[in-house]
Amino acid sequence: MQSGKGMKNLSAGGGASLCCLLLLWVIYSHLLREGQLAVGTCEIVTLNRDSSVPRRTIDRQTARCACRRGQIAGTTRARPACVDARIVRGRQWCEMAPCLEGEVCGLLFNRSGWTCTKGSGRIKTVTPLPKEPS
């Protein structure tokens, strides 16, 4: 008889735990729908493209990131990403692997940005803008 009572208690406890987890998941997904980013993720907020000069395109993009402690918004594989903050502070841009597969990263002479060069000679130059005060 005791084993039946223990089984009911175990079953009730498991049901309560499952209900609690379900409630937490609903709250979490609701927060994400309300404009919250999951920790460690980024999204592009604005993207402006200027092709007014022949053979040259200037893209300006703004990203919003929810980075972990010790990380800051950066670029990995040509997409916004959370990267180690020391990379950005030290302007060692190529350490965050900002270029696409098959491109070679190079620092600009004054460390104000980086270039991604393809074997065909196509060069992309990237210069991050300073963070605006919040």
Side-chain angles (χ1 to χ4, degrees), residues 37-85:
L37 290 176
V39 174
T41 62
C42 296
E43 70 177 359
I44 296 173
V45 179
T46 62
L47 177 61
N48 299 314
R49 182 163 284 157
D50 178 4
S51 300
S52 60
V53 177
R55 297 177 41 108
R56 183 176 180 172
T57 301
I58 300 172
D59 289 337
R60 289 180 185 88
Q61 86 176 16
T62 305
R64 183 173 74 119
C65 297
C67 299
R68 292 178 174 87
R69 183 174 301 209
Q71 292 185 323
I72 194 166
T75 304
T76 301
R77 298 284 176 232
R79 301 281 305 151
C82 292
V83 299
D84 191 331

Short mmCIF file of all heavy atoms in Angstrom, two decimals, residues 37-85:
data_model
loop_
_atom_site.label_atom_id
_atom_site.label_comp_id
_atom_site.label_asym_id
_atom_site.label_seq_id
_atom_site.Cartn_x
_atom_site.Cartn_y
_atom_site.Cartn_z
N LEU A 37 15.79 40.48 -26.77
CA LEU A 37 16.66 39.55 -27.48
C LEU A 37 17.12 38.47 -26.51
O LEU A 37 17.32 38.74 -25.33
CB LEU A 37 17.89 40.27 -28.01
CG LEU A 37 17.69 41.24 -29.17
CD1 LEU A 37 19.00 41.94 -29.50
CD2 LEU A 37 17.18 40.51 -30.38
N ALA A 38 17.31 37.28 -27.01
CA ALA A 38 17.88 36.22 -26.19
C ALA A 38 19.35 36.57 -25.93
O ALA A 38 20.02 37.16 -26.78
CB ALA A 38 17.77 34.89 -26.92
N VAL A 39 19.84 36.22 -24.76
CA VAL A 39 21.22 36.53 -24.39
C VAL A 39 22.18 35.88 -25.39
O VAL A 39 22.01 34.72 -25.76
CB VAL A 39 21.52 36.03 -22.96
CG1 VAL A 39 22.98 36.22 -22.61
CG2 VAL A 39 20.64 36.76 -21.96
N GLY A 40 23.16 36.67 -25.84
CA GLY A 40 24.15 36.17 -26.79
C GLY A 40 23.76 36.32 -28.24
O GLY A 40 24.43 35.79 -29.12
N THR A 41 22.65 37.04 -28.52
CA THR A 41 22.20 37.20 -29.90
C THR A 41 22.19 38.67 -30.31
O THR A 41 22.19 39.56 -29.47
CB THR A 41 20.79 36.62 -30.11
OG1 THR A 41 19.87 37.35 -29.30
CG2 THR A 41 20.74 35.16 -29.76
N CYS A 42 22.14 38.89 -31.62
CA CYS A 42 22.09 40.24 -32.19
C CYS A 42 21.06 40.28 -33.31
O CYS A 42 20.72 39.24 -33.88
CB CYS A 42 23.44 40.63 -32.78
SG CYS A 42 24.78 40.74 -31.59
N GLU A 43 20.60 41.48 -33.60
CA GLU A 43 19.72 41.67 -34.75
C GLU A 43 20.08 42.98 -35.43
O GLU A 43 20.54 43.92 -34.79
CB GLU A 43 18.25 41.68 -34.33
CG GLU A 43 17.84 42.90 -33.53
CD GLU A 43 16.36 42.93 -33.18
OE1 GLU A 43 15.63 42.01 -33.57
OE2 GLU A 43 15.94 43.89 -32.52
N ILE A 44 19.89 43.03 -36.75
CA ILE A 44 20.13 44.26 -37.50
C ILE A 44 18.90 45.14 -37.35
O ILE A 44 17.79 44.71 -37.64
CB ILE A 44 20.43 43.96 -38.98
CG1 ILE A 44 21.71 43.14 -39.10
CG2 ILE A 44 20.52 45.25 -39.78
CD1 ILE A 44 22.01 42.65 -40.49
N VAL A 45 19.12 46.37 -36.89
CA VAL A 45 18.02 47.31 -36.66
C VAL A 45 17.79 48.16 -37.90
O VAL A 45 16.66 48.35 -38.34
CB VAL A 45 18.30 48.20 -35.43
CG1 VAL A 45 17.18 49.18 -35.20
CG2 VAL A 45 18.50 47.34 -34.19
N THR A 46 18.86 48.70 -38.47
CA THR A 46 18.76 49.51 -39.70
C THR A 46 19.86 49.10 -40.66
O THR A 46 20.95 48.73 -40.26
CB THR A 46 18.89 51.02 -39.42
OG1 THR A 46 20.19 51.28 -38.87
CG2 THR A 46 17.82 51.53 -38.50
N LEU A 47 19.56 49.19 -41.94
CA LEU A 47 20.54 48.92 -42.99
C LEU A 47 20.28 49.91 -44.12
O LEU A 47 19.21 49.92 -44.71
CB LEU A 47 20.41 47.48 -43.50
CG LEU A 47 21.32 47.08 -44.65
CD1 LEU A 47 22.78 47.20 -44.27
CD2 LEU A 47 21.00 45.67 -45.11
N ASN A 48 21.28 50.76 -44.38
CA ASN A 48 21.18 51.74 -45.46
C ASN A 48 22.27 51.43 -46.48
O ASN A 48 23.42 51.21 -46.11
CB ASN A 48 21.37 53.16 -44.93
CG ASN A 48 20.31 53.53 -43.92
OD1 ASN A 48 19.13 53.28 -44.14
ND2 ASN A 48 20.72 54.10 -42.80
N ARG A 49 21.91 51.45 -47.74
CA ARG A 49 22.85 51.15 -48.81
C ARG A 49 22.92 52.34 -49.77
O ARG A 49 21.90 52.82 -50.23
CB ARG A 49 22.41 49.89 -49.55
CG ARG A 49 23.35 49.49 -50.64
CD ARG A 49 23.12 48.08 -51.06
NE ARG A 49 23.71 47.23 -50.01
CZ ARG A 49 23.36 45.99 -49.77
NH1 ARG A 49 22.41 45.43 -50.47
NH2 ARG A 49 23.94 45.29 -48.82
N ASP A 50 24.14 52.81 -50.05
CA ASP A 50 24.36 53.93 -50.96
C ASP A 50 25.21 53.45 -52.13
O ASP A 50 26.37 53.11 -51.95
CB ASP A 50 25.07 55.07 -50.22
CG ASP A 50 25.38 56.26 -51.10
OD1 ASP A 50 24.99 56.27 -52.29
OD2 ASP A 50 26.02 57.21 -50.59
N SER A 51 24.62 53.41 -53.33
CA SER A 51 25.34 52.97 -54.53
C SER A 51 25.49 54.12 -55.52
O SER A 51 25.59 53.90 -56.72
CB SER A 51 24.60 51.80 -55.19
OG SER A 51 24.51 50.73 -54.31
N SER A 52 25.53 55.34 -55.03
CA SER A 52 25.57 56.50 -55.92
C SER A 52 26.92 56.65 -56.63
O SER A 52 26.99 57.27 -57.69
CB SER A 52 25.24 57.78 -55.15
OG SER A 52 26.17 57.99 -54.12
N VAL A 53 27.98 56.11 -56.07
CA VAL A 53 29.29 56.18 -56.72
C VAL A 53 29.50 54.89 -57.50
O VAL A 53 29.34 53.80 -56.96
CB VAL A 53 30.40 56.34 -55.65
CG1 VAL A 53 31.77 56.35 -56.29
CG2 VAL A 53 30.18 57.58 -54.82
N PRO A 54 29.85 54.98 -58.81
CA PRO A 54 30.04 53.77 -59.62
C PRO A 54 31.11 52.84 -59.02
O PRO A 54 32.12 53.29 -58.50
CB PRO A 54 30.50 54.29 -60.97
CG PRO A 54 30.07 55.72 -60.99
CD PRO A 54 30.07 56.18 -59.57
N ARG A 55 30.84 51.53 -59.08
CA ARG A 55 31.75 50.49 -58.61
C ARG A 55 32.06 50.57 -57.12
O ARG A 55 33.05 50.04 -56.64
CB ARG A 55 33.06 50.49 -59.41
CG ARG A 55 32.85 50.19 -60.87
CD ARG A 55 34.15 50.28 -61.64
NE ARG A 55 35.28 49.70 -60.94
CZ ARG A 55 35.88 48.57 -61.26
NH1 ARG A 55 35.46 47.89 -62.31
NH2 ARG A 55 36.91 48.13 -60.58
N ARG A 56 31.21 51.27 -56.37
CA ARG A 56 31.43 51.38 -54.92
C ARG A 56 30.08 51.41 -54.22
O ARG A 56 29.19 52.16 -54.59
CB ARG A 56 32.20 52.66 -54.61
CG ARG A 56 32.52 52.82 -53.17
CD ARG A 56 33.37 54.05 -52.97
NE ARG A 56 33.66 54.17 -51.55
CZ ARG A 56 34.49 55.05 -51.07
NH1 ARG A 56 35.11 55.88 -51.87
NH2 ARG A 56 34.71 55.11 -49.79
N THR A 57 29.93 50.60 -53.22
CA THR A 57 28.70 50.57 -52.43
C THR A 57 29.06 50.83 -50.97
O THR A 57 29.99 50.21 -50.44
CB THR A 57 28.00 49.20 -52.54
OG1 THR A 57 27.69 48.97 -53.91
CG2 THR A 57 26.72 49.18 -51.73
N ILE A 58 28.35 51.72 -50.35
CA ILE A 58 28.57 52.02 -48.93
C ILE A 58 27.35 51.54 -48.17
O ILE A 58 26.23 51.98 -48.43
CB ILE A 58 28.80 53.52 -48.70
CG1 ILE A 58 30.04 53.99 -49.47
CG2 ILE A 58 28.94 53.81 -47.21
CD1 ILE A 58 30.23 55.48 -49.46
N ASP A 59 27.58 50.59 -47.26
CA ASP A 59 26.51 50.08 -46.41
C ASP A 59 26.72 50.62 -45.00
O ASP A 59 27.83 50.62 -44.49
CB ASP A 59 26.53 48.56 -46.34
CG ASP A 59 26.08 47.91 -47.62
OD1 ASP A 59 25.38 48.57 -48.40
OD2 ASP A 59 26.44 46.74 -47.84
N ARG A 60 25.63 51.07 -44.41
CA ARG A 60 25.65 51.49 -43.01
C ARG A 60 24.60 50.67 -42.28
O ARG A 60 23.44 50.68 -42.67
CB ARG A 60 25.34 52.98 -42.88
CG ARG A 60 26.44 53.86 -43.38
CD ARG A 60 26.05 55.34 -43.23
NE ARG A 60 27.05 56.19 -43.82
CZ ARG A 60 27.06 56.56 -45.10
NH1 ARG A 60 26.10 56.15 -45.91
NH2 ARG A 60 28.01 57.31 -45.57
N GLN A 61 25.03 49.96 -41.26
CA GLN A 61 24.06 49.16 -40.53
C GLN A 61 24.21 49.40 -39.03
O GLN A 61 25.28 49.70 -38.54
CB GLN A 61 24.18 47.68 -40.87
CG GLN A 61 25.17 46.90 -40.09
CD GLN A 61 25.13 45.42 -40.46
OE1 GLN A 61 24.59 45.02 -41.48
NE2 GLN A 61 25.73 44.61 -39.63
N THR A 62 23.09 49.29 -38.36
CA THR A 62 23.05 49.40 -36.91
C THR A 62 22.50 48.08 -36.38
O THR A 62 21.50 47.58 -36.89
CB THR A 62 22.14 50.56 -36.47
OG1 THR A 62 22.58 51.75 -37.11
CG2 THR A 62 22.16 50.74 -34.98
N ALA A 63 23.17 47.55 -35.38
CA ALA A 63 22.73 46.29 -34.79
C ALA A 63 22.44 46.49 -33.31
O ALA A 63 22.98 47.39 -32.67
CB ALA A 63 23.79 45.22 -34.97
N ARG A 64 21.57 45.64 -32.80
CA ARG A 64 21.23 45.64 -31.38
C ARG A 64 21.58 44.25 -30.87
O ARG A 64 21.19 43.25 -31.46
CB ARG A 64 19.75 45.92 -31.22
CG ARG A 64 19.27 46.02 -29.81
CD ARG A 64 17.83 46.46 -29.79
NE ARG A 64 16.94 45.40 -30.20
CZ ARG A 64 15.98 44.88 -29.43
NH1 ARG A 64 15.76 45.37 -28.23
NH2 ARG A 64 15.20 43.93 -29.88
N CYS A 65 22.35 44.20 -29.78
CA CYS A 65 22.80 42.92 -29.25
C CYS A 65 22.50 42.82 -27.76
O CYS A 65 22.47 43.81 -27.05
CB CYS A 65 24.31 42.76 -29.44
SG CYS A 65 24.83 42.73 -31.17
N ALA A 66 22.29 41.60 -27.30
CA ALA A 66 22.13 41.29 -25.88
C ALA A 66 23.29 40.36 -25.53
O ALA A 66 23.17 39.15 -25.61
CB ALA A 66 20.79 40.63 -25.62
N CYS A 67 24.43 40.95 -25.18
CA CYS A 67 25.65 40.18 -24.97
C CYS A 67 25.83 39.78 -23.51
O CYS A 67 25.32 40.44 -22.60
CB CYS A 67 26.86 40.99 -25.43
SG CYS A 67 26.81 41.39 -27.19
N ARG A 68 26.58 38.72 -23.32
CA ARG A 68 26.92 38.26 -21.97
C ARG A 68 27.97 39.19 -21.37
O ARG A 68 28.61 39.96 -22.07
CB ARG A 68 27.46 36.84 -22.03
CG ARG A 68 26.41 35.83 -22.42
CD ARG A 68 27.01 34.42 -22.53
NE ARG A 68 25.97 33.45 -22.76
CZ ARG A 68 25.50 33.13 -23.95
NH1 ARG A 68 25.98 33.71 -25.03
NH2 ARG A 68 24.54 32.23 -24.08
N ARG A 69 28.17 39.08 -20.07
CA ARG A 69 29.20 39.87 -19.38
C ARG A 69 30.56 39.58 -20.01
O ARG A 69 30.88 38.43 -20.29
CB ARG A 69 29.23 39.47 -17.90
CG ARG A 69 30.20 40.28 -17.10
CD ARG A 69 30.07 39.94 -15.67
NE ARG A 69 28.67 40.24 -15.31
CZ ARG A 69 28.28 40.60 -14.13
NH1 ARG A 69 29.15 40.68 -13.16
NH2 ARG A 69 27.02 40.86 -13.88
N GLY A 70 31.31 40.64 -20.28
CA GLY A 70 32.63 40.48 -20.90
C GLY A 70 32.59 40.48 -22.42
O GLY A 70 33.62 40.37 -23.07
N GLN A 71 31.38 40.58 -22.98
CA GLN A 71 31.24 40.62 -24.43
C GLN A 71 30.66 41.97 -24.85
O GLN A 71 30.09 42.69 -24.04
CB GLN A 71 30.31 39.51 -24.93
CG GLN A 71 30.87 38.12 -24.76
CD GLN A 71 29.94 37.09 -25.39
OE1 GLN A 71 28.73 37.22 -25.33
NE2 GLN A 71 30.53 36.07 -25.98
N ILE A 72 30.82 42.26 -26.15
CA ILE A 72 30.33 43.51 -26.71
C ILE A 72 29.91 43.23 -28.16
O ILE A 72 30.34 42.24 -28.75
CB ILE A 72 31.43 44.60 -26.62
CG1 ILE A 72 30.89 45.97 -26.87
CG2 ILE A 72 32.60 44.27 -27.53
CD1 ILE A 72 31.83 47.08 -26.48
N ALA A 73 29.10 44.11 -28.71
CA ALA A 73 28.66 43.92 -30.10
C ALA A 73 29.85 44.01 -31.04
O ALA A 73 30.69 44.90 -30.92
CB ALA A 73 27.62 44.98 -30.46
N GLY A 74 29.92 43.08 -31.96
CA GLY A 74 31.00 43.05 -32.95
C GLY A 74 30.50 42.39 -34.22
O GLY A 74 29.30 42.41 -34.52
N THR A 75 31.41 41.80 -34.97
CA THR A 75 31.06 41.17 -36.25
C THR A 75 31.78 39.83 -36.36
O THR A 75 32.98 39.75 -36.13
CB THR A 75 31.50 42.06 -37.43
OG1 THR A 75 30.89 43.33 -37.29
CG2 THR A 75 31.09 41.46 -38.75
N THR A 76 31.03 38.80 -36.70
CA THR A 76 31.62 37.49 -36.98
C THR A 76 30.99 36.97 -38.27
O THR A 76 29.78 36.97 -38.41
CB THR A 76 31.35 36.51 -35.83
OG1 THR A 76 31.91 37.05 -34.64
CG2 THR A 76 31.96 35.15 -36.10
N ARG A 77 31.85 36.59 -39.21
CA ARG A 77 31.40 36.10 -40.52
C ARG A 77 30.43 37.09 -41.19
O ARG A 77 29.40 36.70 -41.72
CB ARG A 77 30.79 34.72 -40.43
CG ARG A 77 31.73 33.67 -39.93
CD ARG A 77 32.70 33.27 -41.03
NE ARG A 77 33.68 32.31 -40.52
CZ ARG A 77 34.98 32.47 -40.66
NH1 ARG A 77 35.48 33.52 -41.26
NH2 ARG A 77 35.80 31.56 -40.20
N ALA A 78 30.78 38.37 -41.12
CA ALA A 78 30.03 39.45 -41.77
C ALA A 78 28.62 39.65 -41.20
O ALA A 78 27.77 40.23 -41.85
CB ALA A 78 29.97 39.25 -43.29
N ARG A 79 28.37 39.16 -39.99
CA ARG A 79 27.07 39.33 -39.33
C ARG A 79 27.31 39.89 -37.93
O ARG A 79 28.32 39.61 -37.31
CB ARG A 79 26.36 37.98 -39.18
CG ARG A 79 26.08 37.24 -40.47
CD ARG A 79 24.91 37.73 -41.24
NE ARG A 79 23.71 37.73 -40.42
CZ ARG A 79 22.70 38.55 -40.58
NH1 ARG A 79 22.72 39.44 -41.55
NH2 ARG A 79 21.65 38.51 -39.81
N PRO A 80 26.36 40.67 -37.42
CA PRO A 80 26.51 41.16 -36.04
C PRO A 80 26.58 39.98 -35.07
O PRO A 80 25.88 38.98 -35.25
CB PRO A 80 25.23 41.96 -35.79
CG PRO A 80 24.59 42.15 -37.10
CD PRO A 80 25.12 41.11 -38.03
N ALA A 81 27.45 40.11 -34.07
CA ALA A 81 27.63 39.03 -33.10
C ALA A 81 28.20 39.60 -31.81
O ALA A 81 28.77 40.68 -31.80
CB ALA A 81 28.57 37.97 -33.66
N CYS A 82 28.04 38.88 -30.73
CA CYS A 82 28.67 39.24 -29.46
C CYS A 82 30.09 38.67 -29.47
O CYS A 82 30.28 37.48 -29.73
CB CYS A 82 27.88 38.66 -28.29
SG CYS A 82 26.25 39.41 -28.10
N VAL A 83 31.08 39.51 -29.22
CA VAL A 83 32.48 39.09 -29.22
C VAL A 83 33.13 39.52 -27.92
O VAL A 83 32.61 40.36 -27.19
CB VAL A 83 33.24 39.69 -30.43
CG1 VAL A 83 32.64 39.22 -31.74
CG2 VAL A 83 33.27 41.20 -30.37
N ASP A 84 34.29 38.97 -27.64
CA ASP A 84 35.06 39.32 -26.44
C ASP A 84 35.36 40.82 -26.46
O ASP A 84 35.87 41.35 -27.44
CB ASP A 84 36.34 38.50 -26.44
CG ASP A 84 37.09 38.58 -25.13
OD1 ASP A 84 36.98 39.60 -24.44
OD2 ASP A 84 37.79 37.60 -24.80
N ALA A 85 35.06 41.51 -25.38
CA ALA A 85 35.21 42.97 -25.32
C ALA A 85 36.66 43.41 -25.51
O ALA A 85 36.91 44.48 -26.06
CB ALA A 85 34.67 43.49 -23.99
#
